[in-house]
């Protein structure tokens, strides 16, 4: 592949169905999903990918059964705790989502701490940036950007809105992946995917691998 750096974004769907097919609880599917993510991060860090952004937990996911939410939050702690692995692969952790101090924020302190620590402990890495969207919703992100401009008495321009997104340094997405046969965007990175190619695959997220990643990347050539 030519030497250009790509931003890949993933909607990691189908953990529940993956588990059901095996007669396992949904939580086992999420556990397998976190392991799959760790493998995909390693594979992505060895390719011409500068940014990988994944939908870890949406603002809509809080209504899931409490035990499932707790399990997914625990998996975020596990992922953000993979510091050694991230450092070995020169991966820098980043996060986008509803700010912790915003009214209505529900992110428990232990997840906030895990996010902050992972960002700090990987900040010297110079390779791929792994952005985890946690308590994230795109409409809320864009609405907040517009509100910031009104508050600051700035004019509404594309540049000013971009500058007020959760992370203004996040480049446009080149390829958006959605697993498990769903062809929906689900309020993920609506602003950032305006020119993205989209790769829909029937495979559930726990089965997504480096081969599939290469198929998604081939949409760009
Ligand atoms: C969709 O599966 C996935 C999620 C709601 C969350 C994504 C979470 C993971 C991949 C686990 C670990 C990730 C991180 C970032 C730590 P689903 O439950 O909607 O599956 P279904 O549609 O088959 O029910």
């Amino acid at each position: 592949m030519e030497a250009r750096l790509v931003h890949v974004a993933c909607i990691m769907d189908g953990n529940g169905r993956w588990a059901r097919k095996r007669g396992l609880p949904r939580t086992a599917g999420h556990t397998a999903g976190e392991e799959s993510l760790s493998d995909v991060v390693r594979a992505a860090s060895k390719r011409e990918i500068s940014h990988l952004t994944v939908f870890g937990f949406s603002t809509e996911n809080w209504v899931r059964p409490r035990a499932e939410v707790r399990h997914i939050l625990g998996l975020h702690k596990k992922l953000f705790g993979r510091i050694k692995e991230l450092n070995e692969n020169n991966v820098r952790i980043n996060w986008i989502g509803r700010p912790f101090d915003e009214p209505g924020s529900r992110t428990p302190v232990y997840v906030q701490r895990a996010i902050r620590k992972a960002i700090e402990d990987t900040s010297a890495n110079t390779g791929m940036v792994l952005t985890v969207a946690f308590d994230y919703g795109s409409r809320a992100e864009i609405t907040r950007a517009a509100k910031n401009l009104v508050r600051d008495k700035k004019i509404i321009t594309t540049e000013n809105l971009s500058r007020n997104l959760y992370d203004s340094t996040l480049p446009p997405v080149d390829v958006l992946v959605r697993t498990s046969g769903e062809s929906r965007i689900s309020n993920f990175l609506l602003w950032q995917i305006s020119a993205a190619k989209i790769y829909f695959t029937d495979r559930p997220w726990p089965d997504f691998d480096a081969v599939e990643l290469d198929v998604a990347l081939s949409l760009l050539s």
Side-chain angles (χ1 to χ4, degrees):
M1 190 196 262
E2 75 227 68
R4 71 193 186 88
L5 296 179
V6 165
H7 183 180
V8 178
C10 296
I11 302 174
M12 307 180 288
D13 199 8
N15 297 338
R17 277 162 285 175
W18 181 93
R20 197 171 55 224
K21 221 173 140 189
R22 287 162 179 76
L24 298 169
R26 292 178 58 78
T27 48
H30 295 311
T31 300
E34 193 276 334
E35 278 158 18
S36 174
L37 175 57
S38 156
D39 292 344
V40 170
V41 168
R42 192 175 321 105
S45 72
K46 292 178 170 47
R47 286 163 171 72
E48 301 294 340
I49 296 175
S50 60
H51 292 76
L52 176 66
T53 302
V54 296
F55 209 169
F57 196 80
S58 77
T59 45
E60 288 80 31
N61 284 154
W62 292 107
V63 300
R64 290 190 178 212
R66 205 192 287 186
E68 185 177 347
V69 169
R70 203 180 305 126
H71 186 81
I72 297 176
L73 264 48
L75 288 173
H76 278 76
K77 189 171 175 218
K78 184 175 177 192
L79 176 79
F80 290 119
R82 291 180 183 264
I83 305 294
K84 185 165 175 281
E85 213 173 296
L86 293 164
N87 284 339
E88 277 165 10
N89 291 296
N90 199 18
V91 173
R92 185 156 63 81
I93 284 282
N94 184 33
W95 159 73
I96 51 172
R98 185 200 287 254
F100 303 141
D101 59 359
E102 203 175 89
S105 166
R106 274 175 285 186
T107 304
V109 170
Y110 79 91
V111 177
Q112 297 182 22
R113 279 207 195 106
I115 291 174
R116 288 202 182 97
K117 184 165 180 349
I119 292 173
E120 200 177 307
D121 291 355
T122 62
S123 62
N125 293 338
T126 54
M128 188 181 81
V129 178
L130 170 63
T131 302
V132 179
F134 180 90
D135 196 16
Y136 175 85
S138 190
R139 285 180 157 198
E141 176 182 36
I142 296 167
T143 305
R144 176 177 169 274
K147 281 184 178 163
N148 283 355
L149 295 183
V150 171
R151 181 199 60 202
D152 299 342
K153 299 192 169 42
K154 298 249 176 67
I155 54 166
I156 307 277
T157 62
T158 305
E159 290 70 27
N160 281 345
L161 279 167
S162 291
R163 244 179 255 136
N164 280 273
L165 297 176
Y166 291 141
D167 179 358
S168 60
T169 69
L170 212 58
V173 173
D174 297 293
V175 197
L176 173 70
V177 172
R178 180 161 192 152
T179 56
S180 213
E182 301 286 344
S183 45
R184 286 180 281 118
I185 306 298
S186 300
N187 200 19
F188 190 43
L189 302 177
L190 299 178
W191 184 275
Q192 296 87 343
I193 60 165
S194 64
K197 298 263 188 172
I198 306 190
Y199 177 60
F200 295 118
T201 171
D202 286 339
R203 275 204 190 191
W205 177 257
D207 292 338
F208 189 86
D209 59 12
V211 176
E212 285 266 347
L213 181 62
D214 285 335
V215 177
L217 289 172
S218 72
L219 292 183
L220 297 173
S221 53

